[in-house]
Amino acid sequence: MENVVDTFSQICRYNEDLRIEEVRNVLILYEEQEFFIGDTCLKFDQLKICRQFFANASISINCLNSKYLELYKNLLKNNPHVDHLYNLTWEEIDFSEIDVVLCATYDEVAFMHFLQEKYGPLISGGLLDLAVFSITAYILRVTDDLRTAFPVNKKMVEYAASVMVNRPYEIYLSQEERTWGNQWLSGKGLDKDERLVVVVDTASKKEKLLRTDVYFDVLVYLLSLHKTKVLVFDEGSVGKAEFYQEWLTKEQFSKMIFSTGLGLRKDLCILSADRTSLILGPCTGLLHCASGMYNYFSRTSAVAEKIPLMITYTGVYQGDNETADQWWGKSPLIQCLVLKDRNGHKDAVLLGDLSEEERKYTGDLLPCREYSSEMLIDFIRSRFAPQP
């Protein structure tokens, strides 16, 4: 077997000689090891640059992690920038049918060795015209064991930087899906003259959540609003209805709707329904999905008057240099609350009202458990008009 350096050198030559307009088949190897809805929304949106850059090509994505395949399908459904979604091993992929591989894997070195072992003689003979570029650093979560090997396509990176600046991310729902959401809510007793408030009560980390007493104070306020019902997602079918019933009066509980075990895509249909008027929750995946959906709706259809008020409350982020601006700075439809300590006074302020310097500074941030019910209710009341 020839040395893997020969394979690398040949791929580099193909990379340099590549004529973008002649590329017909692009395969994205997406091999993220973990799944977080919000992260994946943003990552998948970045991939639309491939469609624009390789304008004459079919774009396919191979998601190696079978554990999350259904969730990937949920987020990529109707996506006009991806033609095919696969769940194949490297061995099952016929790389001779592909012009360009965009590699987002934690071990590019292993992929290099795979190509050498399976196609080495062909590569050295020039029969496998395969260009391979790394997008790992732009797409995957950085870990200590990440090993890159392939060059970055600098022209594509520069192109992405020029066209993606401040461009809101999107998720693509059809009108049929929105209609399904409307019908499901009607079946759950939401009358035509009632509006729906969606409250997200879970997050990937408990630090993102409000104190339980504050959460229920806010919920009770929302349930007190005229001709308004509140929906909670019970995606894991853990019996949330029974839990809420213990905290609420009979009258309050009668205004609750629970989406139990429907799956992510149908939950998105409910979020997109015409009578969804307010979406409230922590910095978590479903808020990112709502933002992406309504970014798409506001750009493509005449539903501006039906875009709900969307509020997310944030606290202290755990990641290095992680900020609310990083997650919500490109979400123009989201009202993002940031909780700050200003000379000993707790102040819930809008991210959009902060200067660039204040957005980056994290030294005065307070955790979500420090929100009071009064500051959240006052904020909602100031922006969510009473139902006549």
Coordinates of all heavy atoms in Angstrom, one line a residue, residues 304-360:
A304 N -46.6 38.6 8.4 CA -45.9 39.4 9.4 C -46.7 39.8 10.6 O -46.3 39.8 11.7 CB -45.4 40.7 8.7
E305 N -48.0 40.0 10.3 CA -48.9 40.3 11.4 C -49.2 39.1 12.3 O -49.8 39.3 13.4 CB -50.3 40.9 10.8 CG -51.2 39.8 10.2 CD -50.8 39.4 8.8 OE1 -49.8 39.9 8.3 OE2 -51.5 38.5 8.2
K306 N -48.9 37.9 11.9 CA -49.1 36.7 12.7 C -47.9 36.2 13.4 O -47.9 35.1 14.0 CB -49.7 35.6 11.8 CG -51.0 35.9 11.2 CD -51.6 34.8 10.4 CE -53.0 35.1 9.8 NZ -53.5 34.0 9.0
I307 N -46.8 36.9 13.3 CA -45.6 36.5 14.0 C -45.7 36.7 15.5 O -46.0 37.9 15.9 CB -44.3 37.3 13.5 CG1 -44.0 36.8 12.0 CG2 -43.1 37.0 14.3 CD1 -42.9 37.6 11.4
P308 N -45.6 35.7 16.3 CA -45.9 35.9 17.7 C -44.8 36.6 18.4 O -43.6 36.8 17.9 CB -45.9 34.4 18.2 CG -45.0 33.7 17.3 CD -45.2 34.3 15.9
L309 N -45.1 37.1 19.6 CA -44.0 37.7 20.5 C -43.2 36.5 21.0 O -43.8 35.5 21.5 CB -44.7 38.4 21.6 CG -43.8 38.9 22.8 CD1 -42.8 40.0 22.2 CD2 -44.6 39.4 23.9
M310 N -41.9 36.6 20.9 CA -41.0 35.5 21.3 C -40.0 36.0 22.3 O -39.3 37.0 22.0 CB -40.3 34.8 20.1 CG -41.3 34.1 19.2 SD -40.5 33.3 17.8 CE -40.3 34.7 16.7
I311 N -40.0 35.5 23.5 CA -39.2 36.0 24.6 C -38.3 34.8 25.1 O -38.8 33.8 25.5 CB -40.0 36.6 25.7 CG1 -40.9 37.7 25.2 CG2 -39.1 37.1 26.9 CD1 -41.9 38.1 26.3
T312 N -37.0 35.1 25.2 CA -36.1 34.1 25.9 C -35.4 34.8 27.0 O -35.0 36.0 26.8 CB -35.1 33.4 24.9 OG1 -34.4 32.4 25.6 CG2 -34.2 34.5 24.3
Y313 N -35.3 34.2 28.1 CA -34.5 34.7 29.2 C -33.2 34.0 29.4 O -33.2 32.8 29.3 CB -35.3 34.7 30.5 CG -36.1 33.4 30.8 CD1 -35.5 32.3 31.4 CD2 -37.4 33.3 30.4 CE1 -36.1 31.1 31.6 CE2 -38.1 32.1 30.6 CZ -37.5 31.0 31.2 OH -38.1 29.8 31.4
T314 N -32.1 34.7 29.6 CA -30.8 34.1 29.6 C -30.2 34.5 31.0 O -30.5 35.5 31.6 CB -29.9 34.6 28.5 OG1 -29.6 36.0 28.6 CG2 -30.6 34.3 27.1
G315 N -29.1 33.7 31.3 CA -28.4 34.0 32.5 C -26.9 33.9 32.3 O -26.4 34.6 31.4
V316 N -26.2 33.1 33.1 CA -24.8 33.0 33.0 C -24.5 31.8 32.2 O -25.0 30.7 32.5 CB -24.1 32.8 34.4 CG1 -22.6 32.6 34.3 CG2 -24.4 34.1 35.3
Y317 N -23.7 31.9 31.1 CA -23.4 30.8 30.2 C -22.2 30.1 30.8 O -21.3 30.7 31.4 CB -23.2 31.3 28.8 CG -24.4 31.6 28.1 CD1 -25.0 32.9 28.2 CD2 -25.1 30.7 27.4 CE1 -26.1 33.3 27.5 CE2 -26.3 31.0 26.7 CZ -26.8 32.3 26.8 OH -28.0 32.6 26.2
Q318 N -22.1 28.8 30.6 CA -21.0 28.0 31.1 C -19.8 27.9 30.2 O -18.7 27.7 30.7 CB -21.6 26.5 31.4 CG -22.8 26.5 32.3 CD -22.5 27.1 33.7 OE1 -21.5 26.8 34.3 NE2 -23.4 28.0 34.1
G319 N -20.0 27.9 28.9 CA -18.9 27.8 28.0 C -17.9 29.0 28.0 O -18.3 30.1 28.3
D320 N -16.7 28.7 27.6 CA -15.7 29.8 27.5 C -16.1 30.8 26.4 O -16.5 30.4 25.3 CB -14.3 29.2 27.1 CG -13.8 28.3 28.2 OD1 -14.2 28.4 29.3 OD2 -12.9 27.4 27.8
N321 N -16.2 32.0 26.9 CA -16.5 33.2 26.0 C -17.9 33.0 25.4 O -18.2 33.7 24.4 CB -15.5 33.3 24.8 CG -14.1 33.5 25.3 OD1 -13.8 34.3 26.3 ND2 -13.1 32.8 24.8
E322 N -18.8 32.2 26.0 CA -20.1 32.1 25.5 C -21.0 33.2 26.0 O -21.0 33.5 27.2 CB -20.7 30.7 26.0 CG -21.9 30.3 25.3 CD -22.4 28.9 25.7 OE1 -21.6 28.2 26.5 OE2 -23.4 28.4 25.2
T323 N -21.8 33.8 25.1 CA -22.6 34.9 25.5 C -24.0 34.8 24.9 O -24.2 34.0 23.9 CB -22.0 36.2 25.0 OG1 -22.0 36.3 23.6 CG2 -20.6 36.4 25.6
A324 N -24.9 35.6 25.4 CA -26.3 35.6 24.8 C -26.2 36.2 23.4 O -27.0 35.7 22.5 CB -27.2 36.5 25.7
D325 N -25.3 37.1 23.2 CA -25.1 37.7 21.8 C -24.7 36.6 20.8 O -25.1 36.6 19.7 CB -24.1 38.8 21.9 CG -24.1 39.6 20.6 OD1 -25.1 40.0 20.1 OD2 -23.0 39.7 20.0
Q326 N -23.9 35.7 21.3 CA -23.5 34.6 20.4 C -24.6 33.8 19.9 O -24.7 33.4 18.7 CB -22.5 33.7 21.1 CG -22.1 32.4 20.4 CD -21.2 31.5 21.2 OE1 -20.6 31.9 22.2 NE2 -21.2 30.2 20.9
W327 N -25.6 33.5 20.8 CA -26.7 32.7 20.5 C -27.9 33.4 19.9 O -28.7 32.9 19.1 CB -27.2 31.9 21.7 CG -26.3 30.9 22.2 CD1 -25.4 30.9 23.3 CD2 -26.0 29.6 21.6 NE1 -24.7 29.8 23.4 CE2 -25.0 28.9 22.3 CE3 -26.5 29.0 20.4 CZ2 -24.5 27.7 22.0 CZ3 -26.1 27.7 20.1 CH2 -25.1 27.1 20.9
W328 N -28.1 34.7 20.2 CA -29.3 35.4 19.8 C -29.0 36.7 19.1 O -30.0 37.4 18.7 CB -30.1 35.7 21.1 CG -30.6 34.5 21.8 CD1 -30.1 34.0 23.0 CD2 -31.5 33.5 21.4 NE1 -30.7 32.8 23.3 CE2 -31.6 32.5 22.3 CE3 -32.4 33.4 20.2 CZ2 -32.4 31.4 22.2 CZ3 -33.2 32.3 20.1 CH2 -33.2 31.3 21.1
G329 N -27.8 37.0 18.8 CA -27.4 38.3 18.2 C -28.0 38.3 16.7 O -28.2 39.4 16.2
K330 N -28.2 37.2 16.1 CA -28.7 37.1 14.7 C -30.1 36.6 14.7 O -30.5 36.0 13.7 CB -27.8 36.3 13.9 CG -26.4 36.8 13.7 CD -25.5 35.9 12.8 CE -24.1 36.5 12.6 NZ -23.3 35.7 11.7
S331 N -30.9 36.9 15.7 CA -32.3 36.5 15.8 C -33.1 37.7 16.0 O -33.6 38.0 17.1 CB -32.4 35.5 17.0 OG -31.6 34.4 16.9
P332 N -33.4 38.4 14.9 CA -34.1 39.7 15.0 C -35.5 39.7 15.6 O -36.0 40.7 16.1 CB -34.1 40.2 13.6 CG -34.0 38.9 12.7 CD -33.2 38.0 13.5
L333 N -36.2 38.5 15.6 CA -37.5 38.4 16.0 C -37.6 38.0 17.5 O -38.7 38.0 18.1 CB -38.3 37.4 15.2 CG -38.3 37.7 13.7 CD1 -39.1 36.6 13.0 CD2 -39.0 39.0 13.4
I334 N -36.5 37.7 18.1 CA -36.5 37.2 19.5 C -36.2 38.4 20.5 O -35.3 39.2 20.3 CB -35.4 36.1 19.7 CG1 -35.8 34.8 19.0 CG2 -35.2 35.8 21.2 CD1 -36.9 34.0 19.6
Q335 N -37.1 38.5 21.5 CA -36.8 39.4 22.6 C -36.0 38.7 23.6 O -36.5 37.9 24.4 CB -38.1 39.9 23.2 CG -39.1 40.5 22.2 CD -38.7 42.0 21.9 OE1 -38.7 42.8 22.8 NE2 -38.5 42.3 20.7
C336 N -34.7 39.0 23.6 CA -33.7 38.2 24.5 C -33.4 39.1 25.7 O -32.9 40.2 25.7 CB -32.5 37.9 23.7 SG -31.2 37.1 24.7
L337 N -33.8 38.5 26.9 CA -33.6 39.2 28.1 C -32.2 38.7 28.7 O -31.9 37.5 28.7 CB -34.7 38.8 29.1 CG -36.0 39.5 28.9 CD1 -37.0 39.0 29.9 CD2 -35.9 41.0 29.0
V338 N -31.5 39.7 29.2 CA -30.2 39.5 29.9 C -30.3 40.0 31.3 O -30.7 41.1 31.5 CB -29.0 40.1 29.1 CG1 -27.7 39.9 29.8 CG2 -29.0 39.6 27.7
L339 N -29.9 39.2 32.3 CA -30.1 39.6 33.7 C -28.7 40.1 34.2 O -27.7 39.4 34.3 CB -30.6 38.5 34.5 CG -30.9 38.8 36.0 CD1 -32.1 39.9 36.0 CD2 -31.4 37.6 36.7
K340 N -28.7 41.4 34.6 CA -27.4 42.0 35.0 C -27.5 42.5 36.4 O -28.5 42.9 36.9 CB -27.0 43.1 34.1 CG -26.5 42.7 32.7 CD -26.1 43.9 31.8 CE -25.4 43.4 30.5 NZ -24.0 42.9 30.8
D341 N -26.3 42.5 37.1 CA -26.2 43.1 38.4 C -25.6 44.5 38.2 O -24.4 44.7 37.8 CB -25.2 42.3 39.2 CG -25.0 42.9 40.6 OD1 -25.4 44.0 40.9 OD2 -24.4 42.1 41.5
R342 N -26.4 45.5 38.4 CA -26.0 46.9 38.2 C -26.0 47.6 39.6 O -27.0 48.0 40.1 CB -26.9 47.6 37.2 CG -26.7 47.1 35.8 CD -27.5 47.8 34.8 NE -27.1 47.5 33.4 CZ -27.8 47.9 32.3 NH1 -28.9 48.5 32.5 NH2 -27.3 47.6 31.2
N343 N -24.8 47.7 40.2 CA -24.6 48.3 41.5 C -25.5 47.7 42.5 O -26.1 48.4 43.3 CB -24.8 49.8 41.4 CG -23.8 50.5 40.5 OD1 -22.6 50.1 40.5 ND2 -24.3 51.4 39.7
G344 N -25.6 46.3 42.5 CA -26.4 45.6 43.5 C -27.9 45.5 43.2 O -28.6 44.9 43.9
H345 N -28.3 46.1 42.0 CA -29.7 46.0 41.6 C -29.8 45.1 40.4 O -29.1 45.1 39.4 CB -30.1 47.4 41.2 CG -31.5 47.4 40.6 ND1 -32.6 47.2 41.4 CD2 -32.0 47.6 39.3 CE1 -33.7 47.3 40.6 NE2 -33.3 47.5 39.4
K346 N -30.7 44.1 40.5 CA -31.0 43.2 39.4 C -31.8 43.9 38.3 O -32.9 44.4 38.6 CB -31.8 42.0 39.9 CG -31.1 41.2 41.0 CD -32.0 40.1 41.5 CE -31.4 39.3 42.7 NZ -32.3 38.3 43.2
D347 N -31.3 43.8 37.1 CA -31.9 44.5 36.0 C -32.0 43.6 34.8 O -31.0 43.1 34.3 CB -31.1 45.7 35.7 CG -31.8 46.7 34.8 OD1 -33.0 46.5 34.6 OD2 -31.2 47.7 34.3
A348 N -33.2 43.3 34.4 CA -33.5 42.4 33.2 C -33.6 43.4 32.0 O -34.5 44.2 31.9 CB -34.8 41.6 33.4
V349 N -32.6 43.3 31.1 CA -32.5 44.2 30.0 C -32.5 43.5 28.7 O -32.2 42.3 28.7 CB -31.3 45.1 30.1 CG1 -31.3 46.0 31.3 CG2 -30.0 44.3 30.1
L350 N -33.0 44.1 27.7 CA -33.0 43.5 26.3 C -31.6 43.5 25.7 O -30.9 44.5 25.8 CB -33.9 44.2 25.4 CG -35.4 43.9 25.5 CD1 -36.2 44.8 24.6 CD2 -35.7 42.5 25.1
L351 N -31.2 42.4 25.2 CA -29.9 42.2 24.5 C -29.8 43.3 23.4 O -28.7 43.9 23.3 CB -29.8 40.9 23.9 CG -28.5 40.6 23.1 CD1 -27.3 40.6 24.0 CD2 -28.6 39.3 22.3
G352 N -30.8 43.6 22.7 CA -30.8 44.6 21.6 C -30.6 46.0 22.1 O -30.2 46.9 21.3
D353 N -30.8 46.2 23.4 CA -30.6 47.6 23.9 C -29.2 47.8 24.5 O -28.8 48.9 24.9 CB -31.6 47.9 25.1 CG -33.0 48.0 24.6 OD1 -33.2 48.2 23.4 OD2 -33.9 47.9 25.4
L354 N -28.4 46.8 24.5 CA -27.0 46.9 25.0 C -26.0 47.3 23.9 O -26.2 47.0 22.7 CB -26.6 45.5 25.6 CG -27.4 45.0 26.8 CD1 -26.8 43.6 27.2 CD2 -27.3 45.9 27.9
S355 N -25.0 48.0 24.3 CA -23.9 48.3 23.4 C -23.1 47.1 23.0 O -23.2 46.0 23.7 CB -23.0 49.4 24.0 OG -22.3 48.8 25.1
E356 N -22.3 47.2 22.0 CA -21.5 46.0 21.6 C -20.6 45.6 22.7 O -20.4 44.4 23.0 CB -20.7 46.4 20.4 CG -19.9 45.2 19.8 CD -19.2 45.5 18.5 OE1 -19.5 46.6 17.9 OE2 -18.3 44.7 18.1
E357 N -20.0 46.6 23.4 CA -19.1 46.2 24.6 C -19.9 45.5 25.7 O -19.4 44.6 26.3 CB -18.5 47.5 25.1 CG -17.5 47.3 26.2 CD -16.9 48.6 26.7 OE1 -17.2 49.7 26.1 OE2 -16.2 48.6 27.7
E358 N -21.1 46.0 26.0 CA -21.9 45.4 27.0 C -22.3 44.0 26.7 O -22.5 43.1 27.5 CB -23.2 46.2 27.3 CG -22.9 47.5 28.0 CD -24.2 48.3 28.2 OE1 -24.8 48.6 27.2 OE2 -24.4 48.7 29.4
R359 N -22.6 43.7 25.4 CA -23.0 42.4 24.9 C -21.8 41.4 25.2 O -22.1 40.2 25.5 CB -23.3 42.4 23.4 CG -24.6 43.1 23.1 CD -24.8 43.1 21.6 NE -26.0 43.7 21.2 CZ -26.8 43.3 20.2 NH1 -26.5 42.2 19.6 NH2 -27.9 44.0 19.9
K360 N -20.6 41.8 25.1 CA -19.5 40.9 25.2 C -19.1 40.7 26.7 O -18.4 39.7 27.0 CB -18.3 41.4 24.4 CG -18.5 41.4 22.9 CD -17.3 42.0 22.2 CE -17.5 42.0 20.7 NZ -16.4 42.6 19.9

